[in-house]
Amino acid sequence: LSNEISYLLTLSRYDEALDLINHNEKTNITEKMLLRSRIFEKRGEFDRAISLLDEAIKVSQFRSQIGYIVIANLLKASVHTSSKNKLNAINIIASIDTAVLENIENGIFWQGISDLIYGNVFFQYGSFDKALNYYENAIIKFQSIGDDFSLIGALNKIGEIYKLRGEF
């Protein structure tokens, strides 16, 4: 479901993505909340995305679902990065124990996402060398799991940096 949502988001087909989530009976409520937050982020509804992620964290804490807590925090950092609130993004990322990601379902994917978010924060600060390092780490992870969609996203980020530097 996550890959389908990612694909729809690249096409800005937000309502279709929401319908897909709403009609999926196999996905649990926490995962649906996380997916919806990505849609709200892409639509620029940052407060709504953060609110939903905070709710997902509370539910996950109640259920002792450590993996979902980490993922929700990663997504919160992404929303803060998108909304240009870099300090909040960095504080959230710094508080995440990324070692937890090794032990959850799709852990390598989430490690790659973590690297992408770190890269995005450093990119916004103009620390291009640090951003490149994180993007390259993400590429290695996405290649290892055969996630071409995420791999392309990381490669595009690297391309943006080289374009900004005039290194065509």
Side-chain angles (χ1 to χ4, degrees), residues 103-135:
N103 299 317
I104 64 172
E105 186 177 343
N106 300 316
I108 294 175
F109 168 78
W110 289 107
Q111 289 173 18
I113 294 297
S114 175
D115 288 334
L116 276 179
I117 294 167
Y118 266 119
N120 291 342
V121 169
F122 286 113
F123 179 86
Q124 285 188 9
Y125 272 122
S127 299
F128 297 133
D129 289 335
K130 286 183 180 182
L132 282 171
N133 184 49
Y134 281 106
Y135 292 148

Side-chain angles (χ1 to χ4, degrees), residues 6-166:
S6 294
Y7 173 72
L8 291 171
L9 292 180
T10 62
L11 302 174
S12 300
R13 292 164 51 184
Y14 308 123
D15 291 335
E16 191 175 337
L18 283 169
D19 285 343
L20 186 61
I21 293 168
N22 292 337
H23 293 99
N24 184 300
E25 296 178 14
K26 296 178 184 175
T27 305
N28 73 45
I29 191 161
T30 306
E31 290 178 41
K32 286 182 176 185
M33 292 166 76
L34 298 174
L35 290 169
R36 283 186 190 105
S37 75
R38 291 177 54 204
I39 295 167
F40 296 142
E41 176 185 3
K42 291 293 184 184
R43 287 198 315 202
E45 298 178 41
F46 304 124
D47 290 340
R48 194 169 177 190
I50 293 292
S51 176
L52 191 57
L53 290 166
D54 285 338
E55 187 178 338
I57 289 169
K58 286 178 189 173
V59 169
S60 299
Q61 287 171 332
F62 179 75
R63 296 180 178 169
S64 298
Q65 297 172 317
I66 304 300
Y68 285 134
I69 294 168
V70 172
I71 292 166
N73 276 305
L74 281 173
L75 293 175
K76 272 181 71 171
S78 177
V79 173
H80 284 300
T81 300
S82 296
S83 67
K84 308 286 191 251
N85 193 338
K86 296 170 274 206
L87 185 58
N88 277 356
I90 288 175
N91 288 337
I92 290 170
I93 290 173
S95 73
I96 295 172
D97 181 2
T98 53
V100 172
L101 296 175
E102 294 174 12
N103 299 317
I104 64 172
E105 186 177 343
N106 300 316
I108 294 175
F109 168 78
W110 289 107
Q111 289 173 18
I113 294 297
S114 175
D115 288 334
L116 276 179
I117 294 167
Y118 266 119
N120 291 342
V121 169
F122 286 113
F123 179 86
Q124 285 188 9
Y125 272 122
S127 299
F128 297 133
D129 289 335
K130 286 183 180 182
L132 282 171
N133 184 49
Y134 281 106
Y135 292 148
E136 289 167 358
N137 288 338
I139 285 171
I140 292 167
K141 291 173 178 102
F142 294 139
Q143 283 177 326
S144 75
I145 59 173
D147 184 347
D148 293 336
F149 185 81
S150 298
L151 175 65
I152 290 168
L155 289 168
N156 281 334
K157 292 292 190 178
I158 289 173
E160 286 180 46
I161 290 174
Y162 287 127
K163 182 179 176 183
L164 284 171
R165 288 181 166 180

